[in-house]
Amino acid sequence: MAKFTVLVADDDQDIRDGIEIYLKNEGYDVLKAADGKEALELLEANDVHLLILDIMMPNMDGITATFKIREVRNIPIIMLSAKAEDSDKIHGLSVGADDYVTKPFHPMELMARVKSQLRRYIQFGTYDGQKKIEVDGLVLDEEAKEITVEGDVVKLTPIEYKITELLMKNAGRVFSINEIYERVWNEAAYNAENIVAVHIRKIREKIEADPKNPRYVKVVWGIGYKIEK
Amino acid sequence: MAKFTVLVADDDQDIRDGIEIYLKNEGYDVLKAADGKEALELLEANDVHLLILDIMMPNMDGITATFKIREVRNIPIIMLSAKAEDSDKIHGLSVGADDYVTKPFHPMELMARVKSQLRRYIQFGTYDGQKKIEVDGLVLDEEAKEITVEGDVVKLTPIEYKITELLMKNAGRVFSINEIYERVWNEAAYNAENIVAVHIRKIREKIEADPKNPRYVKVVWGIGYKIEK
DNA sequence: GACTATCTTAAGACTTTCTTCATAATTACA
DNA sequence: TGTAATTATGAAGAAAGTCTTAAGATAGTC
């Protein structure tokens, strides 16, 4: 397989260098930019296949840069944002990005997303705008951050949405309680049973006709939860 | 379930030994190093899956060691430090550590982080699509943690699933009762005959059309059980 | 600073699974 | 064929895991 080139744009040099080390270990070529303007210049001068873009940068922020890039090219863009920033707002603004990761992130997770985006890029040749997932009568609209059951909009809280999103995007796969906690809260699971159980129950109350006999969010006793494909 | 090997590098022997006890209790193999240099040597000579690294060490400190390691490998690194300052935390992570724990820490919290990192490492490192194993009409779906017989889903409990998984992944091989107990329960077998037999029986009840004349889970008299290839 | 949403924690109820024990059935072999 | 060793079975209490309720903590908003 030909080598891919990844452009990393972040104003923090430690983060740039850290990401570079991981990417090189995975066999990618790496270019680095300290701000959005520099990123655009490098993008024009080189054959770049994927872009990792911090939102907060001097000269030109990541969102503006994304708009500029999208006018010309369709390469995968992964956005980085600080956890402190309002993630909902960021998500809303970051239309045009293919994926986004909140800091602090686990390097291996970023690598996984890079791989996944490149796979998609290669496979479809271009980014496909499909942002709806459907399982049975349950629909997840990633752009509107909205879930509908048989056409009716259901109002979920951020955590409830993220759990449902995780289960729907991986429908059929069972997630242990710890896994759910780690992927939604983005921190190591420690006594997570109860809190996840409470949120699962809230989700069921909202999306299940009969929460006692759930049609979507099913328990796999002793292992975890899943939404059937 | 393959065993994981964790390398603990700390100049304080009490801490090394303490962590070792907890790790072994969780079923991990443990290697120990007293400084960064020793850690690097052990890392080269052994198949290590995760590294717990103290920052303050003679010969080579944890941060330098992390740099060296990252030039070659992407394994999870958890850093230990006596300092609780935030700047250290960020520095440690940006330098390539995956997680960070400040002393004094609760051993179980460290264990939770070890588990969490290994989960990520496995999930993101080796993921390649659908994982299914088939033997005769028996199919094991590792993602759904589900087993189907001639297309029909069979509901197994965690222990039943693990036993079936062991036998299917090594179809054709005979496992003694003690071996099954040790690999599934992850502890030394002692009077395991009956309990394994009970679970085998439950499995047969669920996956065999005629439990008296089992088609899949066969006994090898005086030796153990197997599932034929 | 009060109000509202949401999140977290705790405790007990409830359900499923695991283990144990007693006993029965099967196999190997003298 | 008889006997000892091994495996199979049924039932019940113990243990583990999940669900539910409710109240306190926290964060965002006006």
Side-chain angles (χ1 to χ4, degrees):
Chain A
M1 185 159 58
K3 256 195 172 181
F4 292 112
T5 301
V6 178
L7 172 56
V8 181
D10 196 309
D11 56 333
D12 183 333
Q13 194 188 341
D14 283 341
I15 294 184
R16 276 203 306 277
D17 293 348
I19 295 176
E20 180 186 22
I21 290 169
Y22 275 90
L23 285 169
K24 288 201 162 161
N25 274 345
E26 299 284 335
Y28 301 113
D29 282 334
V30 179
L31 294 170
K32 293 182 286 186
D35 59 58
K37 231 176 137 198
E38 207 185 319
L40 284 184
E41 287 162 15
L42 280 169
L43 205 57
E44 256 181 61
N46 297 274
D47 185 18
V48 175
H49 302 99
L50 184 143
L51 190 53
I52 296 173
L53 206 54
D54 190 26
I55 288 189
M56 294 301 179
M57 285 187 299
N59 270 332
M60 187 190 293
D61 68 87
I63 294 169
T64 313
T66 303
F67 275 115
K68 293 252 180 206
I69 294 160
R70 279 282 180 261
E71 284 171 11
V72 195
R73 299 194 51 192
N74 231 347
I75 68 165
I77 298 176
I78 297 176
M79 279 215 181
L80 302 180
S81 70
K83 202 179 184 182
E85 295 157 38
D86 184 338
S87 64
D88 277 348
K89 201 172 282 176
I90 297 300
H91 196 165
L93 286 171
S94 64
V95 259
D98 298 282
D99 203 350
Y100 80 115
V101 177
T102 54
K103 297 180 193 172
F105 54 84
H106 289 256
M108 286 307 286
E109 186 184 344
L110 181 59
M111 290 309 112
R113 289 173 193 261
V114 166
K115 259 184 245 171
S116 148
Q117 288 299 332
L118 282 174
R119 212 172 11 233
R120 217 160 75 154
Y121 184 53
I122 296 314
Q123 192 179 346
F124 297 113
T126 174
Y127 158 70
D128 61 334
Q130 184 65 2
K131 289 213 167 174
K132 281 190 182 178
I133 299 170
E134 203 250 330
V135 178
D136 209 351
L138 199 63
V139 178
L140 176 113
D141 184 335
E142 286 193 71
E143 297 210 319
K145 285 196 73 139
E146 202 174 72
I147 283 171
T148 53
V149 187
E150 305 289 4
D152 298 328
V153 175
V154 166
K155 201 185 152 225
L156 296 183
T157 69
I159 287 185
E160 288 159 16
Y161 177 85
K162 280 186 194 162
I163 293 175
T164 314
E165 181 185 29
L166 176 67
L167 295 179
M168 285 186 75
K169 280 189 174 173
N170 301 279
R173 183 167 180 291
V174 181
F175 288 85
S176 75
I177 285 175
N178 284 345
E179 252 175 316
I180 292 174
Y181 188 86
E182 275 161 21
R183 299 192 48 161
V184 170
W185 277 258
N186 202 28
E187 52 192 67
Y190 187 57
N191 280 0
E193 285 79 19
N194 204 224
I195 192 164
V196 171
V198 169
H199 284 289
I200 290 284
R201 167 155 172 285
K202 296 274 184 188
I203 293 170
R204 282 181 175 155
E205 273 176 7
K206 291 179 181 179
I207 71 173
E208 301 282 0
D210 176 9
K212 300 261 178 188
N213 288 46
R215 170 178 167 196
Y216 301 115
V217 182
K218 302 213 164 139
V219 63
V220 181
W221 203 276
I223 299 183
Y225 297 95
K226 71 170 172 182
I227 288 182
E228 226 127 16
K229 211 177 301 191
Chain B
M1 252 135 291
K3 257 194 174 181
F4 291 113
T5 301
V6 178
L7 172 55
V8 181
D10 196 311
D11 55 333
D12 183 333
Q13 193 186 341
D14 287 342
I15 294 185
R16 277 203 306 276
D17 294 348
I19 295 177
E20 180 185 23
I21 290 169
Y22 277 90
L23 284 169
K24 289 204 161 159
N25 201 34
E26 299 281 336
Y28 300 114
D29 282 335
V30 179
L31 293 172
K32 292 183 286 185
D35 58 59
K37 230 175 139 201
E38 208 184 320
L40 283 184
E41 286 162 14
L42 280 169
L43 206 57
E44 255 181 65
N46 296 278
D47 187 17
V48 175
H49 303 100
L50 184 143
L51 190 52
I52 296 173
L53 206 53
D54 190 26
I55 288 189
M56 297 301 179
M57 285 188 299
N59 268 333
M60 187 191 292
D61 67 88
I63 294 176
T64 312
T66 304
F67 268 121
K68 295 250 180 210
I69 294 159
R70 279 288 178 257
E71 285 170 11
V72 196
R73 296 192 55 190
N74 260 351
I75 68 165
I77 298 176
I78 298 176
M79 279 215 182
L80 302 179
S81 157
K83 296 183 209 159
E85 291 110 272
D86 248 13
S87 58
D88 266 353
K89 199 166 204 163
I90 288 158
H91 192 210
L93 285 171
S94 66
V95 145
D98 298 279
D99 205 348
Y100 195 97
V101 178
T102 53
K103 298 181 193 171
F105 52 84
H106 195 291
M108 287 315 284
E109 191 194 331
L110 180 60
M111 290 309 113
R113 289 175 190 272
V114 167
K115 266 185 237 167
S116 160
Q117 288 300 332
L118 283 173
R119 253 197 304 269
R120 279 171 195 271
Y121 185 51
I122 294 314
Q123 187 193 335
F124 293 134
T126 64
Y127 177 80
D128 53 356
Q130 197 76 332
K131 280 187 187 164
K132 285 189 179 177
I133 298 172
E134 203 247 328
V135 178
D136 209 350
L138 201 62
V139 178
L140 176 119
D141 183 335
E142 287 194 70
E143 291 210 330
K145 293 270 184 287
E146 200 173 76
I147 283 171
T148 52
V149 186
E150 305 290 2
D152 297 328
V153 175
V154 166
K155 206 182 144 219
L156 296 183
T157 69
I159 287 186
E160 289 159 16
Y161 178 87
K162 279 187 196 161
I163 294 175
T164 314
E165 181 184 27
L166 176 67
L167 295 179
M168 284 185 75
K169 281 189 175 172
N170 301 280
R173 196 185 142 195
V174 183
F175 288 85
S176 76
I177 284 177
N178 283 347
E179 219 175 337
I180 291 175
Y181 189 87
E182 274 160 20
R183 299 195 47 166
V184 169
W185 276 257
N186 200 26
E187 53 189 65
Y190 178 66
N191 277 4
E193 286 77 20
N194 202 224
I195 193 165
V196 171
V198 170
H199 285 289
I200 291 284
R201 174 177 142 258
K202 296 273 187 185
I203 293 169
R204 282 180 175 154
E205 272 176 7
K206 291 178 181 179
I207 71 173
E208 302 282 0
D210 177 9
K212 300 263 177 187
N213 287 40
R215 171 179 167 195
Y216 301 114
V217 182
K218 301 210 165 140
V219 63
V220 181
W221 202 267
I223 301 184
Y225 299 94
K226 71 168 174 181
I227 287 181
E228 226 127 19
K229 208 176 303 189

